[in-house]
Amino acid sequence: MSTSSSAPDTSAPALEMKAVRKVYRMGDADIIALDHASLTVQHDEIVALVGPSGSGKTTLCSIAGGILGATEGRVVVAGDDITDYDAKQLTKFRQERVGFVFQSVNLVPFLTARENLLVVDELGRRTGAAARARADQLLEELGLADRRNNLPSQLSGGQRQRVAIGRALMNEPRLVLFDEPTSALDTQLGEQVMELIRNEMKSRGTAAIVVTHDERITHFCDRSVHIVDGHLDAA
Amino acid sequence: MFLALKEMTRAKARFGLLIAAIALLVFLILFQQSLQNGLLTSFVGGIRNQSAPVLVYSVDGQRILQGSIITPDLEALVESAPGVGEVGAIHQGTFTVTSADGAFDASLLGYADPALGAPTTIVEGRLAESLDEVVASSADAESGFDIGDVVRVEPGGLELTVVGLADQAQINAGPTLYGTVDTFLDALRAQNPDAGTPLPNVLGVAPADGTTVDEVVASINAQSDELDAFTKDDAADATPGVAQVRQSFQVIFLLYGLVIPCVTGLFFLIVTFQKAGALTLLRAIGAPAGRLVASLLIQAVLIVGLGYLIGTLLYTPVSQLRLGGIPLEFETAAVITWAIVLMALGLLSSLVAARRVLAIDPVQATTGAGVGR
Ligand SMILES: Nc1ncnc2c1ncn2[C@@H]1O[C@H](COP(=O)(O)OP(=O)(O)O)[C@@H](O)[C@H]1O
Ligand SMILES: [Mg+2]
């Protein structure tokens, strides 16, 4: 088993999920959210994960990002087999290896745009000046240079989403998980954000999974994977 | 540190209000502490701050200077007790004394030996050296009992000159004068020419070389059921009313001691609920739970610390005041003790919120739920 402190293998697939099963226990009933899902995302690939509500998209991202443990199967992220990680190892893994853009809350309300990026550096071993330079560069790329000192409440929905993307990229992740990044935005803004995501990923050679139920934005991704009732099918 | 401080600077009003509330409570605690000590000192300071290490009362006197009378038989018993060194008579009485400011009920103490009953806290001037000289309690200097002032014992009009001031030397919360036994007898006779020669009220005792104060106290008490010997501090504490005053204040302190942790504990619990979303997000992106708890504790320390500092600053000028004749003092020991107690209680109370933080499941960031379930 490799650990998160090993030197990352840059050509290894960003994600390898093998026969992953996730069962939620709700009282007496078992809800099978993922059923023998296998998925490989190459090291520089952007995959769209498309499926209706309740099909298991968020569950898949949570497992791939080390937030949730799988009931069965193996999960390897950028060469690190995280299947048997304990809570502490998973925390460190999330801190160092993956980026998240969540469906709902993405920003700390009492931190400015820039601080929402810098907080990532504060969570682990601090790099200080390097982190500040990186945050400023990301904000610049995301067109937020003049908004860096605004609180989330002073930003528009699109701007907030861009800050969240910046935050997800702060730790130079090998895999970024976007859970419905455009669902709260109108079509035009959604396309802008998707274009930004594609540019940021491609310029860095970073892999991503973009969850959506909107077929219209899948063309920003390299390929689409469909999910229905926890079953994946690479169409 | 980053998160803790950023949050506090972004929510100044909220954190400021809590700091203000703690400052107010700290002010009240310290003020009451001064009040308690001032009150007790005004009643028994003169007993604590006189030179006899041991005071012997008659049991009949019920531990009140003026109520105690030492007969020659009792005095002989004390003098023959093992370990007793020097023995000196102390007289005490209440007189109407007029100063430039008017008439007062003053206590006059007369000692046979300055080493056994004279005040030890002279802050200005000197002890009495002749019949018409006395030392006065410094708390009453401004009421016409300052050095050089002449006061008259009424009726009779015996004139006494104040030649020294002693700190924390009152008894019975009024002007207190210290002179020799002969001065005391003069005053008594001026007031009542038929007074004769009264018996001493208490005896001041010093242990013989090689004997401790506690040994002498035990040895004197073993002599007779009618003798009540105490170290001077115990004598002060045993004075009727002292324990009751302490108890009443202790109840007040206990209440304050409960209110502060309740306020801080509740505050942090509410704040933790309110920012549940942010805390869950931070856990999800890799914040160790311990880091978030540390941030909470840093805030608790800062808030209690700042509140304490402000409360102490408010208290400092008030502690120099005089309240209804009771001089207050800045109680350094109380300031330090309460700082430690309140910091510990503040931290302890924020542990309730810390438990909520530790219970956060990062998976809730993916669904939007938080701590507040
Ligand atoms: N914590 C949970 N407990 C029980 N059931 C859950 C939980 N999270 C998700 N589910 C169920 O698992 C299935 C997949 O959910 P999810 O992954 O959120 O789907 P999607 O993101 O595609 O809408 C749904 O039926 C949902 O109700
Ligand atoms: Mg979902």
Side-chain angles (χ1 to χ4, degrees):
Chain A
M1 189 180 86
S2 56
T3 67
S4 58
S5 58
S6 64
D9 174 1
T10 44
S11 62
L15 174 68
E16 286 177 273
M17 289 176 86
K18 288 180 201 145
V20 169
R21 191 176 155 84
K22 180 65 191 178
V23 182
Y24 290 111
R25 202 133 289 157
M26 290 280 278
D28 289 339
D30 280 356
I31 297 169
I32 301 166
L34 277 184
D35 202 5
H36 293 88
S38 295
L39 174 66
T40 300
V41 179
Q42 295 308 326
H43 70 95
D44 57 354
E45 197 179 20
I46 303 178
V47 173
L49 183 61
V50 190
S53 179
S55 55
K57 305 182 295 294
T58 298
T59 301
L60 188 146
C61 285
S62 304
I63 291 172
I67 290 184
L68 195 64
T71 312
E72 280 172 35
R74 299 211 76 74
V75 182
V76 181
V77 178
D80 289 338
D81 187 338
I82 66 167
T83 316
D84 299 319
Y85 274 17
D86 63 20
K88 241 196 181 108
Q89 288 172 307
L90 285 175
T91 297
K92 196 165 180 327
F93 164 77
R94 296 197 299 271
Q95 191 188 97
E96 295 176 346
R97 287 280 193 269
V98 283
F100 289 100
V101 173
F102 298 104
Q103 234 169 317
S104 52
V105 183
N106 266 304
L107 301 178
V108 179
F110 53 82
L111 298 180
T112 63
R114 185 167 186 261
E115 288 163 354
N116 262 288
L117 268 59
L118 289 176
V119 76
V120 173
D121 185 54
E122 290 288 327
L123 302 180
R125 207 173 295 130
R126 292 181 192 81
T127 61
R132 287 194 291 277
R134 183 167 172 78
D136 289 336
Q137 190 208 328
L138 279 166
L139 289 170
E140 183 78 45
E141 285 172 20
L142 295 164
L144 290 165
D146 56 340
R147 290 299 194 164
R148 54 210 289 241
N149 293 323
N150 285 98
L151 291 171
S153 58
Q154 299 163 324
L155 299 173
S156 71
Q159 286 168 335
R160 279 203 285 267
Q161 204 63 336
R162 281 185 274 156
V163 177
I165 293 166
R167 199 226 41 242
L169 292 171
M170 259 309 275
N171 58 348
E172 304 186 292
R174 303 296 311 282
L175 173 68
V176 187
L177 302 156
F178 296 91
D179 197 352
E180 310 204 17
T182 61
S183 62
L185 307 174
D186 63 34
T187 311
Q188 201 192 339
L189 258 179
E191 297 211 337
Q192 278 175 21
V193 165
M194 274 313 297
E195 200 174 332
L196 198 62
I197 289 175
R198 183 174 175 88
N199 290 342
E200 291 294 325
M201 295 303 119
K202 287 302 167 192
S203 65
R204 289 179 165 73
T206 303
I209 296 178
V210 181
V211 169
T212 181
H213 48 239
D214 185 355
E215 291 279 3
R216 284 173 302 175
I217 61 170
T218 55
H219 66 270
F220 289 101
C221 304
D222 299 323
R223 68 183 168 104
S224 294
V225 173
H226 290 260
I227 181 168
V228 178
D229 288 343
H231 291 275
L232 286 178
D233 95 86
Chain B
M1 207 66 179
F2 175 84
L3 276 172
L5 292 183
K6 291 292 178 199
E7 186 189 2
M8 286 177 73
T9 51
R10 296 282 145 66
K12 286 197 191 77
R14 171 187 291 189
F15 285 93
L17 275 176
L18 179 62
I19 291 171
I22 290 176
L24 185 68
L25 287 165
V26 166
F27 168 79
L28 287 172
I29 288 175
L30 293 177
F31 173 68
Q32 306 253 21
Q33 191 82 55
S34 275
L35 196 61
Q36 173 196 267
N37 291 0
L39 203 59
L40 292 179
T41 299
S42 74
F43 276 102
V44 297
I47 295 175
R48 263 192 215 117
N49 297 315
Q50 53 78 40
S51 53
V54 173
L55 292 174
V56 186
Y57 296 63
S58 67
V59 167
D60 291 343
Q62 297 180 322
R63 299 158 180 190
I64 302 169
L65 282 180
Q66 207 165 341
S68 165
I69 290 171
I70 304 289
T71 61
D73 291 350
L74 289 179
E75 186 167 350
L77 281 173
V78 170
E79 279 167 350
S80 64
V84 167
E86 301 297 318
V87 177
I90 299 173
H91 294 260
Q92 191 251 319
T94 309
F95 297 84
T96 302
V97 172
T98 50
S99 74
D101 270 26
F104 295 87
D105 284 329
S107 298
L108 176 59
L109 279 102
Y111 45 84
D113 177 351
L116 297 168
T120 54
T121 48
I122 302 284
V123 286
E124 223 186 309
R126 54 171 174 81
L127 288 179
E129 280 166 9
S130 63
L131 263 183
D132 62 349
E133 291 180 350
V134 285
V135 164
S137 43
S138 63
D140 303 293
E142 281 163 27
S143 312
F145 292 86
D146 209 343
I147 290 189
D149 288 345
V150 175
V151 299
R152 290 161 57 94
V153 180
E154 307 289 356
L158 176 72
E159 295 197 333
L160 299 169
T161 306
V162 177
V163 295
L165 293 176
D167 241 5
Q168 305 196 329
Q170 281 187 330
I171 59 173
N172 300 331
T176 305
L177 304 173
Y178 293 82
T180 62
V181 168
D182 292 335
T183 304
F184 178 84
L185 295 178
D186 269 4
L188 202 63
R189 286 179 193 130
Q191 190 191 43
N192 174 10
D194 303 328
T197 305
L199 295 169
N201 294 103
V202 295
L203 297 177
V205 174
D209 286 347
T211 311
T212 67
V213 168
D214 289 334
E215 282 164 2
V216 172
V217 167
S219 140
I220 295 171
N221 281 330
Q223 287 287 87
S224 163
D225 285 349
E226 290 176 46
L227 290 174
D228 237 355
F230 300 96
T231 65
K232 56 183 174 181
D233 286 341
D234 287 351
D237 289 347
T239 303
V242 169
Q244 287 82 345
V245 169
R246 280 231 172 84
Q247 258 169 29
S248 311
F249 275 96
Q250 253 148 25
V251 172
I252 296 173
F253 292 141
L254 183 73
L255 291 179
Y256 283 126
L258 289 176
V259 168
I260 290 197
C262 284
V263 169
T264 44
L266 213 58
F267 173 86
F268 281 112
L269 199 56
I270 292 170
V271 168
T272 302
F273 272 106
Q274 284 183 341
K275 62 178 183 194
L279 292 173
T280 310
L281 169 72
L282 288 166
R283 286 286 287 119
I285 63 171
R291 189 67 70 88
L292 299 181
V293 169
S295 168
L296 177 81
L297 296 183
I298 286 170
Q299 288 182 343
V301 168
L302 284 176
I303 283 171
V304 174
L306 275 172
Y308 202 85
L309 192 73
I310 295 171
T312 307
L313 288 178
L314 289 174
Y315 158 74
T316 304
V318 174
S319 70
Q320 312 301 316
L321 297 179
R322 222 185 135 93
L323 211 83
I326 298 167
L328 303 182
E329 303 242 341
F330 185 89
E331 303 289 344
T332 312
V335 169
I336 294 168
T337 311
W338 277 107
I340 295 168
V341 169
L342 293 184
M343 190 57 85
L345 287 177
L347 281 174
L348 214 62
S349 67
S350 58
L351 290 183
V352 181
R355 277 190 48 186
R356 305 283 333 177
V357 173
L358 289 174
I360 293 172
D361 186 348
V363 79
Q364 287 160 351
T366 64
T367 58
V371 206
R373 286 193 319 154

